[in-house]
Coordinates of all heavy atoms in Angstrom, one line a residue:
V1 N -10.8 84.2 -5.5 CA -10.4 82.8 -5.0 C -9.0 82.5 -5.3 O -8.4 82.8 -6.4 CB -11.3 81.9 -5.8 CG1 -10.9 80.4 -5.7 CG2 -12.8 82.0 -5.5
D2 N -8.4 81.8 -4.3 CA -7.0 81.5 -4.4 C -6.8 80.1 -5.1 O -5.8 79.9 -5.9 CB -6.4 81.4 -3.0 CG -6.3 82.7 -2.3 OD1 -5.5 83.5 -2.8 OD2 -7.0 83.0 -1.4
F3 N -7.7 79.2 -4.8 CA -7.6 77.9 -5.6 C -9.0 77.2 -5.5 O -9.9 77.5 -4.7 CB -6.5 77.0 -5.1 CG -6.6 76.5 -3.6 CD1 -7.2 75.3 -3.2 CD2 -6.0 77.2 -2.6 CE1 -7.2 74.9 -2.0 CE2 -6.1 76.8 -1.3 CZ -6.7 75.7 -1.0
V4 N -9.2 76.2 -6.4 CA -10.4 75.5 -6.6 C -10.2 74.1 -6.2 O -9.1 73.4 -6.5 CB -10.8 75.6 -8.1 CG1 -12.1 74.7 -8.3 CG2 -11.1 77.1 -8.4
V5 N -11.2 73.5 -5.5 CA -11.2 72.1 -5.1 C -12.3 71.3 -5.7 O -13.4 71.7 -5.7 CB -11.2 71.9 -3.6 CG1 -11.2 70.4 -3.2 CG2 -10.1 72.7 -2.9
L6 N -12.0 70.3 -6.5 CA -13.0 69.4 -7.1 C -13.2 68.2 -6.1 O -12.5 67.3 -6.0 CB -12.5 68.8 -8.4 CG -12.1 69.9 -9.5 CD1 -11.8 69.2 -10.8 CD2 -13.1 70.9 -9.7
A7 N -14.3 68.4 -5.4 CA -14.7 67.4 -4.3 C -15.6 66.4 -4.9 O -16.8 66.4 -4.6 CB -15.3 68.1 -3.1
R8 N -15.0 65.4 -5.7 CA -15.8 64.5 -6.4 C -16.8 65.2 -7.4 O -18.0 65.0 -7.5 CB -16.6 63.5 -5.6 CG -15.8 62.7 -4.8 CD -14.8 61.8 -5.6 NE -15.6 61.0 -6.6 CZ -16.1 59.7 -6.4 NH1 -16.0 59.3 -5.2 NH2 -16.7 59.1 -7.3
Y9 N -16.2 66.1 -8.3 CA -16.9 66.8 -9.3 C -16.7 65.9 -10.6 O -15.6 65.8 -11.0 CB -16.3 68.2 -9.6 CG -17.0 69.0 -10.6 CD1 -18.4 69.3 -10.5 CD2 -16.3 69.4 -11.8 CE1 -19.0 70.1 -11.5 CE2 -16.9 70.1 -12.8 CZ -18.3 70.5 -12.6 OH -18.9 71.2 -13.6
M10 N -17.9 65.3 -11.0 CA -17.8 64.3 -12.0 C -17.9 64.9 -13.4 O -18.7 64.4 -14.3 CB -18.9 63.2 -11.8 CG -18.9 62.7 -10.3 SD -17.2 62.1 -9.8 CE -17.2 60.6 -10.7
Q11 N -17.1 65.9 -13.7 CA -17.1 66.5 -15.0 C -15.6 66.8 -15.3 O -14.8 67.1 -14.4 CB -17.8 67.8 -15.1 CG -19.3 67.7 -14.9 CD -19.9 67.2 -16.2 OE1 -19.7 67.5 -17.3 NE2 -21.0 66.4 -16.1
I12 N -15.3 66.6 -16.6 CA -13.9 66.9 -17.0 C -13.8 68.4 -17.4 O -14.6 68.8 -18.3 CB -13.5 66.0 -18.3 CG1 -13.6 64.5 -17.9 CG2 -12.1 66.4 -18.7 CD1 -13.4 63.6 -19.1
L13 N -13.0 69.1 -16.7 CA -12.7 70.5 -17.1 C -12.1 70.7 -18.5 O -11.3 69.9 -18.9 CB -11.9 71.2 -16.0 CG -12.4 71.2 -14.6 CD1 -11.5 71.9 -13.7 CD2 -13.9 71.8 -14.6
T14 N -12.6 71.8 -19.1 CA -12.0 72.1 -20.5 C -10.5 72.5 -20.3 O -10.0 72.9 -19.2 CB -12.8 73.2 -21.1 OG1 -12.7 74.4 -20.3 CG2 -14.3 72.9 -21.2
A15 N -9.8 72.4 -21.4 CA -8.4 72.8 -21.4 C -8.3 74.2 -21.2 O -7.3 74.6 -20.6 CB -7.8 72.4 -22.8
E16 N -9.2 75.1 -21.5 CA -9.2 76.5 -21.3 C -9.2 76.8 -19.9 O -8.4 77.7 -19.3 CB -10.3 77.2 -22.0 CG -10.2 77.2 -23.6 CD -10.6 75.8 -24.2 OE1 -11.1 75.0 -23.5 OE2 -10.2 75.7 -25.3
T17 N -10.1 76.1 -19.1 CA -10.2 76.4 -17.7 C -8.9 75.9 -17.0 O -8.4 76.6 -16.1 CB -11.4 75.6 -17.1 OG1 -12.6 76.1 -17.7 CG2 -11.5 75.7 -15.6
C18 N -8.4 74.6 -17.3 CA -7.2 74.2 -16.8 C -6.0 75.2 -17.0 O -5.3 75.5 -16.1 CB -6.8 72.8 -17.4 SG -8.0 71.5 -17.0
A19 N -6.0 75.7 -18.2 CA -4.9 76.7 -18.5 C -5.0 78.0 -17.7 O -4.0 78.6 -17.4 CB -4.8 77.0 -20.1
A20 N -6.2 78.3 -17.4 CA -6.5 79.6 -16.7 C -6.0 79.6 -15.2 O -5.8 80.6 -14.7 CB -8.0 80.0 -16.8
L21 N -6.0 78.3 -14.7 CA -5.7 78.2 -13.2 C -4.6 77.1 -13.0 O -4.8 76.1 -12.4 CB -7.0 77.8 -12.5 CG -8.2 78.8 -12.6 CD1 -9.4 78.1 -11.9 CD2 -7.8 80.1 -11.8
P22 N -3.4 77.2 -13.6 CA -2.4 76.3 -13.4 C -1.9 76.2 -12.0 O -1.6 77.1 -11.3 CB -1.3 76.8 -14.3 CG -1.5 78.3 -14.4 CD -3.0 78.4 -14.4
G23 N -1.9 74.9 -11.5 CA -1.5 74.8 -10.0 C -2.4 75.3 -9.0 O -2.1 75.4 -7.9
R24 N -3.7 75.5 -9.5 CA -4.7 76.1 -8.6 C -6.0 75.3 -8.6 O -7.0 75.7 -8.0 CB -5.0 77.6 -9.0 CG -3.8 78.5 -8.8 CD -4.1 79.9 -9.4 NE -5.2 80.5 -8.7 CZ -5.9 81.6 -9.2 NH1 -5.4 82.1 -10.3 NH2 -6.9 82.1 -8.6
I25 N -6.0 74.1 -9.2 CA -7.2 73.3 -9.2 C -6.7 71.9 -8.6 O -5.9 71.2 -9.2 CB -7.8 73.1 -10.5 CG1 -8.1 74.4 -11.2 CG2 -9.1 72.3 -10.4 CD1 -8.7 74.3 -12.6
I26 N -7.4 71.5 -7.5 CA -7.0 70.2 -6.9 C -8.2 69.2 -7.1 O -9.3 69.5 -6.9 CB -6.8 70.4 -5.4 CG1 -5.5 71.2 -5.1 CG2 -6.5 69.0 -4.7 CD1 -5.2 71.6 -3.7
N27 N -7.8 68.1 -7.6 CA -8.9 67.0 -7.7 C -8.5 65.8 -6.9 O -7.4 65.5 -6.6 CB -8.9 66.6 -9.3 CG -10.1 65.7 -9.5 OD1 -11.1 65.8 -9.0 ND2 -9.9 64.9 -10.6
I28 N -9.6 65.1 -6.6 CA -9.5 63.8 -5.8 C -9.8 62.7 -6.8 O -10.9 62.7 -7.4 CB -10.4 63.7 -4.5 CG1 -10.2 62.3 -4.0 CG2 -11.8 64.0 -4.8 CD1 -8.9 62.1 -3.3
H29 N -9.0 61.7 -7.1 CA -9.2 60.6 -7.9 C -9.4 59.4 -7.1 O -8.6 59.0 -6.2 CB -8.0 60.4 -8.9 CG -8.3 59.4 -10.0 ND1 -9.1 59.7 -11.1 CD2 -8.2 58.1 -10.0 CE1 -9.3 58.6 -11.8 NE2 -8.7 57.6 -11.1
H30 N -10.6 58.8 -7.3 CA -11.0 57.6 -6.5 C -10.4 56.4 -6.8 O -11.0 55.3 -7.0 CB -12.5 57.5 -6.5 CG -13.1 57.7 -8.0 ND1 -14.1 58.6 -8.3 CD2 -12.8 57.0 -9.1 CE1 -14.2 58.5 -9.6 NE2 -13.6 57.6 -10.1
S31 N -9.0 56.4 -7.0 CA -8.2 55.2 -7.1 C -6.8 55.6 -6.9 O -6.5 56.7 -6.8 CB -8.5 54.4 -8.4 OG -7.9 55.0 -9.4

């Protein structure tokens, strides 16, 4: 996988997961 998309995934990812994929996780914030 090249990158991950959170398409209204209503969970907060752990710091470990964020650190594992820097610049490779896109989130949509509903505001």
